[in-house]
Amino acid sequence: MQKILRIFSKEYVNINQAALLLGSFTFLSQILALFRDRFIAHFIGPSAGLDAYYAAFRVPDLIFISIASLASITVLIPFIIEKMPARQSTTGGNGETVTAEARKLMNDVFTIFLIAMVGVSLVAFLIMPYLTSFIAPGFTPIMQAKVVLFSRIMLLSPILMGLSNLFGTVTQLFRKFFIYSLSPIFYNFGIIIGIIILYPIFGITGLALGVVLGALMHFLIQVFASFGCGFIPKFSFKINFKEVKQIALISLPRTLGLSFNNIALISIIAFASYLSSGSISIFNFSFNLQSVPLNIIGISYAVAAFPTLVKSFSSQKKNEFKDHLKSTARQIVFWSLPVIFLFIVLRAQIVRVILGSGNFSWENTRLVAASLAVFSISVLAQGMTAILSRAYYATGNTKRPLIVNLFCSILIIIFSFVFLRIFEEVAVFRYFIESLLKVEDISGTEVLMLPLAYSAGTILNFILHWYFVRKDFMEGDSFITKTFFQSLGASFFIGVISYAGLNIFSPIFGTTTGWGVFLQGFISGIIGICAGILVLYLLKNEEIKDLVQALKTKFWNVKVLVAPQEEL
């Protein structure tokens, strides 16, 4: 892992600056992803067909995660940099400075990767009917057949997306960060084309074709950028397996961690297939919504901090390592808690504005909003897990986070089964949940047990990581307590003021039109946020001072490694 620091040895950047830049990239792609989900909700809505579409993602997604992440950008680039001229690592270079050794390594990785991805995808294509019986056991044979068809079409996606990330290594090597960040935008744009143009012609099959189109666009933009850099991977017939194996072994911990989470999601989809029609759609809509703040906040900070943690640890600067870890963790806490309160209070407005039109009914809105509220309670835990696990990866200790992730993934599966049984058999518990989330008068509420299981598992994952990080790195010292309580206090005021605002503005703007719902939620949220900022100012919060300082800099000029897409 020490090799990773070399790409950053000439440019040391502030974590807040890097996180703001990464967050900006992520924000753009997430906005388009919200439009994608809105179109799906409008034209199709939660239904059996859409359930089959979402279930069909699981096998291609697992293949993509299990194989594509073995050729991780963050691991590949240091190996390539090592084989480049010295001035290449500082200037970004051009195609004329690329050495034969660097080309050979890329060709070796490209060859093995393509063979492995195509081979695994071909096997999955042949045994897809058997895999579908595990992914969606509750579906009827007709619906399972649709899942098989959609999955087989989507098997092209992990191949294209994996190759895109591989070509993206070259794009980032030459510091084409803006071009690299366009790929997720084009991916979602391709899916939107599938919804608007292909769905009316082919039905749900058109959505699957749109996913492939999006993956192709994701791939092509990296290919053209790579060609422009003069660094084009080709088939290699004399492969240096030792070096490729070393790259795969370094990537393996991250790959396994992602795979464990994906397997837990597969199990959740399997449970949801036994529930009422549209349950898988409800789960996915709410999961995608909660992923927006997670990706913008938690993942951006974790990705931005990782190279700095590696550099500090490899330089044996223990205190510096601790300071960077503390700072990043505090920033994630600082941002995540207000989001949790806002999402819980404004959940109905958020869902109605983003998804509420066409075939997406008011009952769908209430169920997705309730599911979003349950997911939201774990946004902080998910973001903190991302940075705490990377703290271990930065030190080369991959065993601890792997064991914790595996244990908690198994717990998510167990929780899903147990919570569903309790919800069905214990009337008091069911009434409590439905009353708390205000969905007691609609059907299909059993689906809420699945985000509850996921949130419970991820919160426990965070608690275990936090315990071990304090023990292994912080010598028992608390490192987020002050920020946690300051942010919690401010977030409480944000929630209270926003809730009061909803009651005040509801009769003014009304709740029967999209603009009325938007203005009601938006203005209430803004007033709540202003109240939270005032509280933080009075508490002399350090994180808000750091944020103001980072905003004053030209953070958009910071050169950082953009995280590769980790799921389809």
Side-chain angles (χ1 to χ4, degrees):
M1 303 302 290
Q2 295 179 6
K3 293 183 179 181
I4 295 175
L5 67 94
R6 294 178 184 176
I7 194 172
F8 301 92
S9 59
K10 300 298 180 180
E11 284 189 51
Y12 182 78
V13 298
N14 177 274
I15 290 175
N16 269 325
Q17 292 176 318
L20 284 172
L21 180 64
L22 292 171
S24 300
F25 286 156
T26 305
F27 179 74
L28 293 175
S29 62
Q30 291 295 317
I31 289 295
L32 202 58
L34 292 178
F35 276 107
R36 174 202 68 200
D37 283 359
R38 180 174 178 84
F39 287 133
I40 292 177
H42 177 85
F43 290 108
I44 307 169
S47 58
L50 191 59
D51 285 353
Y53 166 74
Y54 281 126
F57 268 99
R58 300 282 36 110
V59 171
D61 211 12
L62 181 61
I63 292 174
F64 176 65
I65 288 171
S66 301
I67 299 178
S69 57
L70 286 175
S72 171
I73 285 175
T74 52
V75 176
L76 261 180
I77 286 183
F79 278 89
I80 297 173
I81 287 288
E82 192 178 45
K83 299 178 182 299
M84 303 283 262
R87 69 186 184 93
Q88 175 72 15
S89 61
T90 59
T91 65
N94 51 60
E96 297 174 354
T97 64
V98 176
T99 63
E101 291 81 3
R103 291 182 185 275
K104 178 66 168 59
L105 176 60
M106 278 296 296
N107 293 340
D108 289 350
V109 173
F110 171 76
T111 302
I112 293 180
F113 175 84
L114 184 59
I115 293 173
M117 187 66 81
V118 172
V120 172
S121 297
L122 181 60
V123 172
F125 183 92
L126 297 174
I127 66 172
M128 191 61 70
Y130 303 100
L131 296 176
T132 300
S133 63
F134 291 99
I135 297 169
F139 280 3
T140 63
I142 294 176
M143 295 307 299
Q144 285 188 349
K146 289 185 177 181
V147 174
V148 171
L149 173 63
F150 302 156
S151 295
R152 283 175 167 172
I153 293 172
M154 291 183 191
L155 282 174
L156 288 170
S157 298
I159 299 174
L160 293 170
M161 296 281 281
L163 288 174
S164 178
N165 283 346
L166 197 60
F167 278 86
T169 303
V170 178
T171 309
Q172 291 217 54
L173 180 69
F174 289 87
R175 305 189 181 212
K176 308 292 184 180
F177 300 113
F178 180 74
I179 294 177
Y180 183 85
S181 68
L182 289 177
S183 287
I185 296 175
F186 276 89
Y187 174 66
N188 284 315
F189 185 64
I191 297 178
I192 290 174
I193 292 175
I195 300 166
I196 297 176
I197 298 177
L198 301 180
Y199 172 70
I201 301 173
F202 302 105
I204 301 293
T205 306
L207 268 66
L209 293 172
V211 172
V212 176
L213 175 62
L216 178 62
M217 295 172 72
H218 192 292
F219 168 66
L220 289 178
I221 191 171
Q222 297 303 328
V223 170
F224 292 141
S226 180
F227 284 8
C229 295
F231 199 13
I232 308 168
K234 299 177 181 178
F235 275 101
S236 177
F237 297 98
K238 293 182 180 180
I239 300 171
N240 183 350
F241 286 99
K242 182 179 179 180
E243 198 162 34
V244 175
K245 180 182 177 182
Q246 186 179 3
I247 294 172
L249 287 176
I250 292 177
S251 301
L252 187 60
R254 174 176 171 272
T255 299
L256 290 175
L258 292 171
S259 298
F260 292 156
N261 186 67
N262 191 269
I263 291 171
L265 287 174
I266 289 175
S267 301
I268 287 177
I269 296 301
F271 285 120
S273 69
Y274 286 104
L275 306 180
S276 57
S277 177
S279 293
I280 296 177
S281 305
I282 296 293
F283 178 87
N284 275 274
F285 278 129
S286 55
F287 184 82
N288 290 343
L289 286 174
Q290 69 95 37
S291 296
V292 173
L294 171 64
N295 290 328
I296 293 175
I297 300 170
I299 303 303
S300 292
Y301 269 103
V303 170
F306 181 62
T308 307
L309 293 175
V310 173
K311 181 176 182 178
S312 299
F313 185 81
S314 62
S315 302
Q316 297 182 348
K317 297 178 180 179
K318 185 177 180 180
N319 289 333
E320 185 179 281
F321 176 89
K322 290 168 61 176
D323 289 342
H324 287 310
L325 181 55
K326 289 178 180 179
S327 174
T328 307
R330 288 169 182 166
Q331 290 293 341
I332 292 175
V333 170
F334 168 77
W335 285 99
S336 297
L337 283 174
V339 167
I340 291 174
F341 278 77
L342 281 173
F343 268 48
I344 291 175
V345 173
L346 304 177
R347 61 185 185 275
Q349 286 73 24
I350 292 171
V351 174
R352 197 62 189 165
V353 168
I354 295 175
L355 303 176
S357 66
N359 289 312
F360 198 82
S361 67
W362 175 240
E363 287 74 18
N364 297 150
T365 298
R366 293 174 64 191
L367 265 183
V368 172
S371 182
L372 176 61
V374 177
F375 267 127
S376 296
I377 63 177
S378 66
V379 167
L380 172 60
Q382 294 178 64
M384 287 295 292
T385 300
I387 181 59
L388 297 181
S389 61
R390 279 172 170 80
Y392 280 104
Y393 294 151
T395 66
N397 181 0
T398 60
K399 184 178 180 180
R400 181 85 79 189
L402 281 179
I403 293 175
V404 172
N405 289 334
L406 175 60
F407 174 70
C408 292
S409 295
I410 294 172
L411 279 183
I412 289 175
I413 299 171
I414 296 173
F415 286 159
S416 299
F417 175 78
V418 172
F419 289 167
L420 283 171
R421 290 295 299 271
I422 294 175
F423 192 82
E424 293 172 358
E425 297 178 5
V426 181
V428 174
F429 178 72
R430 182 179 189 132
Y431 176 77
F432 171 75
I433 294 294
E434 290 180 341
S435 299
L436 182 66
L437 297 172
K438 299 179 180 180
V439 290
E440 60 269 22
D441 58 336
I442 58 178
S443 60
T445 53
E446 60 273 6
V447 71
L448 299 177
M449 295 300 97
L450 300 179
L452 182 61
Y454 187 85
S455 291
T458 51
I459 290 172
L460 181 59
N461 195 330
F462 157 59
I463 292 173
L464 291 174
H465 269 98
W466 175 74
Y467 170 78
F468 287 121
V469 165
R470 284 190 64 200
K471 177 183 175 183
D472 296 337
F473 303 128
M474 301 297 174
E475 298 174 352
D477 295 339
S478 178
F479 59 101
I480 60 173
T481 303
K482 181 180 177 181
T483 301
F484 177 84
F485 284 107
Q486 287 184 344
S487 186
L488 182 64
S491 300
F492 176 77
F493 277 94
I494 289 174
V496 170
I497 299 299
S498 297
Y499 184 77
L502 291 178
N503 293 322
I504 294 172
F505 295 116
S506 177
I508 297 176
F509 297 113
T511 57
T512 57
T513 64
W515 276 109
V517 173
F518 170 75
L519 290 173
Q520 176 194 15
F522 180 75
I523 297 177
S524 299
I526 291 297
I527 295 174
I529 291 171
C530 290
I533 292 174
L534 178 61
V535 171
L536 290 171
Y537 175 78
L538 294 175
L539 293 173
K540 298 181 179 180
N541 179 263
E542 295 179 5
E543 284 68 38
I544 200 167
K545 294 179 182 177
D546 293 340
L547 173 62
V548 172
Q549 188 64 34
L551 289 173
K552 290 180 180 179
T553 65
K554 295 181 179 180
F555 65 86
W556 52 87
N557 287 330
V558 174
K559 303 302 181 182
V560 295
L561 216 61
V562 184
Q565 188 157 329
E566 294 184 344
E567 60 183 2
L568 301 180

